[in-house]
Amino acid sequence: MKKRKLKKAVIVYLVLMMLIGASVFVFVQKNGKVPSNEKEEEKYPKEIEEKLAKLNHPEKELNYFNLNYLDRYLSYQKSNPSLNVEDIITRVNIGLDNKYYTNTSVSPYLNTNYLLVNKYISLGEDYIPDDLVTVDDCVVTYKKIELVSEAKDAFLKLCHKAKEDGFTIRVMSSYRSYDYQKQLYQNYVDSDGMEEADTYSARPGFSEHQTGLTIDVDNAKVTYTDFEKTNEFKWMIENAHRFGFILRYPKDKEHITGYSYESWHYRYVGVDIATYIHEHNITFDEYYVRFIENKMEY
Ligand SMILES: [Zn+2]
């Protein structure tokens, strides 16, 4: 009799506990989720809401939308009415609504493949990449060619595969120090003037060659400025991304990269990023603001 009573009490206790658990669960579901959504929609003051509406509420769709730039987005939209919202936000985030070499900062991604260098992001005077190594295969022989070790290994794989396919690709320029770039840029300014020099040469500290992740290539037959006309160029366009390289300054992207088209200039970013950029026909600048910058804390 006693035993039976105890058993009954245990069952009642268990059922009660289950009921309490279930109702707590329902309560959390109801009160946790629904109101927070409502809150989100009423987050901004009316004035900001109206501005967001002009951009079709990018804050809901694009995680690289930056509320601090809202007025810049709107004025860029005004002067570029044919651009879609995604491009407006991307370009303002790159800094393209500012003049070149204004509002510049030093990259927070030194010594990583995420390292973007352009006319708004520099490397600084003192930056020398860690892990620079000499490349002595697939290069012109009269120059010292240095790359970051990971980029060197990737390039040698690329070069050997190209050779297997019947093509010659060699590096004629790679890492350049700050001082070397300073001298190079000054020579161009002296002969062509600053405005012209800025279209094809980087100011010291702003050259991608200072990253040690960049190569200028030729096919050992024609001058590098004619690389575009070669079969090696076609091979590079089809295959470079498989080895982690991208054509960094493509044709018709001058307004985004800030540089004239350079068929010979490739940048190592790693296979995943290179493949995405290749498949989506975007520049590294665009990739950076969409996928790298907003991740923060790397
Ligand atoms: Zn170059």
Side-chain angles (χ1 to χ4, degrees):
M1 194 64 181
K2 244 188 178 178
K3 245 189 185 175
R4 246 174 128 184
K5 246 189 184 171
L6 189 68
K7 210 176 172 187
K8 212 175 171 185
V10 167
I11 289 169
V12 168
Y13 175 77
L14 283 176
V15 169
L16 261 173
M17 289 310 282
M18 275 167 71
L19 279 173
I20 290 169
S23 53
V24 165
F25 179 75
V26 169
F27 180 83
V28 167
Q29 287 280 308
K30 268 195 173 170
N31 296 284
K33 270 187 184 169
V34 180
S36 77
N37 265 354
E38 279 165 10
K39 246 186 216 164
E40 200 138 309
E41 274 169 21
E42 286 165 14
K43 202 162 60 177
Y44 302 113
K46 203 178 162 220
E47 187 202 350
I48 291 181
E49 276 296 328
E50 280 169 10
K51 289 180 177 177
L52 289 168
K54 285 185 188 168
L55 294 162
N56 298 327
H57 289 281
E59 77 281 9
K60 290 176 187 165
E61 306 273 323
L62 308 170
N63 64 351
Y64 51 92
F65 165 79
N66 186 338
L67 191 63
N68 299 324
Y69 299 166
L70 188 53
D71 289 329
R72 287 170 63 190
Y73 296 140
L74 289 172
S75 85
Y76 200 73
Q77 185 185 44
K78 233 180 199 173
S79 42
N80 299 276
S82 59
L83 279 185
N84 65 40
V85 171
E86 197 175 8
D87 283 336
I88 289 166
I89 289 170
T90 302
R91 291 185 198 184
V92 169
N93 285 13
I94 292 172
L96 288 163
D97 58 330
N98 291 311
K99 278 190 180 158
Y100 292 148
Y101 299 114
T102 61
N103 285 22
T104 63
S105 59
V106 174
S107 171
Y109 295 106
L110 302 176
N111 290 304
T112 74
N113 294 336
Y114 291 162
L115 183 48
L116 173 74
V117 188
N118 59 22
K119 286 175 174 168
Y120 305 100
I121 303 177
S122 79
L123 298 167
E125 206 168 317
D126 302 324
Y127 183 63
I128 301 169
D130 294 342
D131 213 13
L132 264 187
V133 291
T134 302
V135 190
D136 44 22
D137 188 15
C138 303
V139 295
V140 293
T141 49
Y142 54 87
K143 268 185 181 174
K144 187 176 186 187
I145 299 293
E146 289 174 295
L147 282 173
V148 166
S149 143
E150 186 182 329
K152 172 198 166 178
D153 294 345
F155 170 68
L156 289 180
K157 278 184 196 152
L158 178 155
C159 170
H160 296 150
K161 181 70 177 79
K163 205 167 272 175
E164 240 179 78
D165 293 350
F167 302 107
T168 302
I169 290 167
R170 61 174 193 174
V171 176
M172 26 149 334
S173 182
S174 56
Y175 169 69
R176 290 180 205 150
S177 69
Y178 178 91
D179 287 337
Y180 182 88
Q181 186 67 28
K182 192 175 172 183
Q183 195 188 323
L184 195 66
Y185 177 75
Q186 194 53 52
N187 292 344
Y188 291 134
V189 170
D190 291 345
S191 60
D192 287 345
M194 200 179 217
E195 202 179 321
E196 180 65 17
D198 274 340
T199 66
Y200 62 84
S201 179
R203 293 188 188 174
F206 292 84
S207 170
E208 205 179 45
H209 282 281
Q210 198 187 333
T211 64
L213 298 168
T214 290
I215 51 175
D216 289 340
V217 299
D218 73 0
N219 72 347
K221 293 176 201 85
V222 301
T223 172
Y224 73 95
T225 47
D226 284 335
F227 188 65
E228 189 191 2
K229 299 170 187 160
T230 67
N231 288 328
E232 279 80 4
F233 172 70
K234 275 186 207 147
W235 189 93
M236 282 296 275
I237 291 302
E238 281 162 23
N239 297 288
H241 66 281
R242 297 181 218 278
F243 302 89
F245 286 88
I246 53 159
L247 179 71
R248 179 67 180 90
Y249 304 126
K251 210 179 218 168
D252 304 324
K253 303 277 187 180
E254 287 91 345
H255 56 292
I256 297 171
T257 64
Y259 284 95
S260 347
Y261 171 46
E262 293 189 358
S263 62
W264 59 88
H265 179 114
Y266 296 83
R267 159 69 197 268
Y268 180 75
V269 289
V271 173
D272 290 348
I273 298 177
T275 303
Y276 187 94
I277 286 174
H278 175 80
E279 284 172 358
H280 293 81
N281 189 30
I282 59 170
T283 60
F284 187 43
D285 310 79
E286 291 162 297
Y287 183 91
Y288 178 85
V289 298
R290 290 180 187 176
F291 302 110
I292 298 174
E293 192 176 43
N294 71 76
K295 269 190 201 159
M296 294 309 186
E297 291 171 45
Y298 171 70

